[in-house]
Amino acid sequence: MTTPPSPGLLSRWRPTNLSGRMARWGLVIVLIYGLIALITPLMIHLGLLADPNAGLDNPIYATPSLQHWCGTDRLGRDVCVRTLSGVGVALQVVLLALVVALVIGVPLGMLSGYLGGWFDRVLVLLMDTLYTLPVLLLSVVLAFLLGRGLPNAAAALCVVYIPQYFRVVRNQTAQVKAELYVEAARTLGARPLWILRRYLFRNVITSVPVLLTLNAADAVLVLGGLGFLGLGLPETIPEWGGDLQQALTALPTGIWWTALYPGLAMFVLVLGLSFLGEGLEAWVSGGDRGRGS
Amino acid sequence: MSRRRALARYLAARLALVPVMLLLIASLVFLLLRVAPGDPVDAVLGTRAPEAARAALRSQLGLDQPLLLQYGHFLLNLLRGDLGESLNSQEPVSRIIGQSLPASLELGLTALLLAAVLGLAVGFSGIARPEGKLDLAGRLYGIGTYALPPFWAAMVVQLIFAVWLGWLPVGGRFPATLLPPQGSGFYLLDSLLSGLGGGNWQQLGGAVRHLVLPACTLALLLSGIFTNALRLNLRRALASDYVEAARSRGLSETRVVLRHALPNALLPVLTITGITVASLIGGALLIEVTYSWPGIAFRLQEAIGQRDYPLVQGIVVVVAALVVLVSVTVDILVAVLDPRIRF
């Protein structure tokens, strides 16, 4: 067994086990992506980078060169700029979706676990049914109905993740509810809302960061999938999945640069988030355990 | 209570939930398609279509009736296996699904088989030295294959093996120059039969050549799940008391791993397979589109592009029902096979 790294001492944190190292690499990758998301719009605004939608002056399908580092796509848009701009877009949508899922799923789960009874049963059945459905299928249907747009895509994603928070929080709440100190508080006359906030929330919320990070990784993939299927975001917003869909038509002619860079950006971001999530999980559970147990 | 009776009760409860879940899914899809913003009529005809045409389509789709009546019709038709007609081709939705389902199953089952072999091999290879290089590589493999965007992986594979090397076709299910084999719709099986019957092996060759790239890509993406599951369960099994006992009896390490730990670690992998099916469908959706594989997911994407509401509704209901059935089957299989499970 490896000992978990001591918290709070990032400077002295030199983990030797894989989980610790993965968490560190994940954190570095995610921070770099965050930085790119912040800087790219600024650079575009200052004119240091081209507009991701401007392409009329450029040759179409130009091979990577000094002028266009990653080449241009079928409308002459710079692949490099579009890939960089995609970072901010992906992070925005995923963050929005997960925060909404969290805000709906966590209270619902706590309430359901605390109240029990038929309210709990009906919700559990509904959420379990939603949970059984393939993530992509569900979000494809929702995105199809909601149409294209940033809030729409976020909404389509968020419905997929509500059942996950609901399940975790509900089960933990039901568990904590049976603890002696909760019972003691109830005997002393504490109101349900107070108990929920004071005793249950703090206990339950610890498992959320891990789930949040792993879900973020998943959500990036699902958003890309939606874009690839022609759903999700409007065409004017540079999004990796949508760009890859357009790259697919040119692929048989050997044009590789429009396909390589957006996909690579997505892969590395998902990898970073997964590393971070797995590392966090190992750290929270205090051992070197992977996902899927 | 004896285990047998407990098992019977568990099975009954699990099976009783199946129709409820199916009803819930069907209702959910129905409700979503009716209540969600966006009028199907607008979606099909556009907002500027003449009112007469809009009214005609509305009554064709049954949208002019009260919601509850529509819902009743929908459920009744569903029970009779009638999923409505495609707006685009006027064909019954059930026939379209019946035609494209074999292609999806052929791809999915082949990929699942390859994924299990590949994933279990990678997961098992690290077991000789836990925390060793091979073991850690297995863990990274699991995360790496998960992090690959399916369609991107498919595009890269296509680019390398079909476009640059030219070894295999870029997409499609069968060579355009040949007549597809007749029969069950499973080209692999049909062309094998025709090869055995008439000595015509060209069809089989064509079917296999088209299947290789999509199946291998999907298998690569799914194999990580098996790797992870086997790694975790083997490690847990090896740390258990009965393995300790086996070791202390002086059994060889090979025998301990192969005869004592592995069988116990493989059963949970079956559960994982059940879960995999759901993500298989997500992945297959994208793989089919990338390779223009004419399966059910490819049809779904077409239907979405053409705003073909009945077809989208039908495909989603059928696929969701399949997922529920598979996950319940796996649950029951595990409960029957694994004597350790208590209810």
Side-chain angles (χ1 to χ4, degrees), chain A residues 129 133 144-145 218 259 288 291, chain B residues 24 37 131 139 152 232 320:
Chain A
T129 310
L133 293 178
F144 170 62
L145 295 168
D218 197 48
D288 191 20
R291 187 177 354 166
Chain B
L24 215 60
E131 293 290 327
R139 186 158 171 209
W152 183 62
L232 286 172

Side-chain angles (χ1 to χ4, degrees), chain B residues 47-115:
Chain B
T47 41
R48 274 173 295 181
E51 195 48 48
R54 297 167 64 90
L57 183 65
R58 207 172 286 268
S59 80
Q60 186 202 332
L61 290 173
L63 291 174
D64 48 355
Q65 292 164 337
L67 197 66
L68 217 59
L69 205 65
Q70 286 184 44
Y71 180 59
H73 270 299
F74 168 70
L75 284 187
L76 269 180
N77 286 337
L78 203 60
L79 278 179
R80 286 183 299 169
D82 179 4
L83 294 163
E85 274 181 4
S86 157
L87 284 182
N88 201 45
S89 62
Q90 316 295 330
E91 250 185 297
V93 169
S94 49
R95 194 195 300 160
I96 298 180
I97 293 176
Q99 279 165 356
S100 41
L101 205 54
S104 290
L105 290 178
E106 188 173 80
L107 174 60
L109 290 176
T110 316
L112 199 60
L113 204 69
L114 288 174

Side-chain angles (χ1 to χ4, degrees), chain B:
Chain B
M1 194 158 36
S2 73
R3 189 190 135 78
R4 179 166 289 190
R5 277 200 27 220
L7 183 67
R9 263 185 60 171
Y10 171 77
L11 292 187
R14 201 80 186 81
L15 285 175
L17 264 185
V18 172
V20 180
M21 281 179 100
L22 292 180
L23 178 73
L24 215 60
I25 286 174
S27 312
L28 209 70
V29 173
F30 173 84
L31 207 68
L32 277 175
L33 284 162
R34 293 304 181 288
V35 176
D39 187 352
V41 176
D42 279 353
V44 176
L45 294 176
T47 41
R48 274 173 295 181
E51 195 48 48
R54 297 167 64 90
L57 183 65
R58 207 172 286 268
S59 80
Q60 186 202 332
L61 290 173
L63 291 174
D64 48 355
Q65 292 164 337
L67 197 66
L68 217 59
L69 205 65
Q70 286 184 44
Y71 180 59
H73 270 299
F74 168 70
L75 284 187
L76 269 180
N77 286 337
L78 203 60
L79 278 179
R80 286 183 299 169
D82 179 4
L83 294 163
E85 274 181 4
S86 157
L87 284 182
N88 201 45
S89 62
Q90 316 295 330
E91 250 185 297
V93 169
S94 49
R95 194 195 300 160
I96 298 180
I97 293 176
Q99 279 165 356
S100 41
L101 205 54
S104 290
L105 290 178
E106 188 173 80
L107 174 60
L109 290 176
T110 316
L112 199 60
L113 204 69
L114 288 174
V117 171
L118 181 66
L120 293 181
V122 173
F124 190 70
S125 64
I127 206 59
R129 278 181 51 209
E131 293 290 327
K133 283 230 166 62
L134 220 52
D135 190 34
L136 297 185
R139 186 158 171 209
L140 287 178
Y141 177 84
I143 302 176
T145 51
Y146 165 80
L148 271 177
F151 44 95
W152 183 62
M155 285 167 87
V156 171
V157 168
Q158 250 178 352
L159 194 65
I160 295 173
F161 292 99
V163 178
W164 286 344
L165 295 174
W167 289 351
L168 293 159
V170 176
R173 194 183 172 199
F174 206 71
T177 50
L178 290 179
L179 225 57
Q182 297 298 311
S184 59
F186 292 90
Y187 284 4
L188 225 46
L189 196 71
D190 294 341
S191 55
L192 184 68
L193 287 178
S194 91
L196 289 174
N200 179 8
W201 295 105
Q202 249 183 339
Q203 286 183 330
L204 184 64
V208 170
R209 274 170 56 84
H210 278 81
L211 183 63
V212 169
L213 284 188
C216 286
T217 314
L218 193 51
L220 176 75
L221 294 166
L222 292 174
S223 60
I225 302 176
F226 288 97
T227 304
N228 267 350
L230 186 68
R231 265 191 72 247
L232 286 172
N233 286 307
L234 253 186
R235 180 180 284 198
R236 200 168 301 156
L238 281 174
S240 65
D241 291 341
Y242 58 84
V243 164
E244 192 81 6
R247 280 198 180 123
S248 62
R249 290 209 304 277
L251 297 180
S252 75
E253 191 61 24
T254 323
R255 196 182 158 82
V256 169
V257 170
L258 288 183
R259 295 296 297 274
H260 294 251
L262 192 60
N264 284 301
L266 275 180
L267 211 50
V269 174
L270 185 64
T271 319
I272 304 289
T273 316
I275 300 166
T276 313
V277 171
S279 71
L280 178 77
I281 285 167
L285 188 68
L286 298 165
I287 295 283
E288 282 187 6
V289 172
T290 319
Y291 284 103
S292 321
W293 185 265
I296 200 160
F298 188 65
R299 280 285 137 72
L300 179 64
Q301 204 240 351
E302 273 182 352
I304 286 173
Q306 296 160 345
R307 302 252 127 202
D308 194 336
Y309 270 70
L311 191 51
V312 171
Q313 174 179 293
I315 290 179
V316 171
V317 168
V318 168
V319 170
L322 278 178
V323 172
V324 169
L325 289 179
V326 168
S327 76
V328 170
T329 312
V330 169
D331 273 1
I332 289 176
L333 219 59
V334 169
V336 171
L337 286 178
D338 194 344
R340 289 170 299 183
I341 291 183
R342 298 271 172 270
F343 311 98

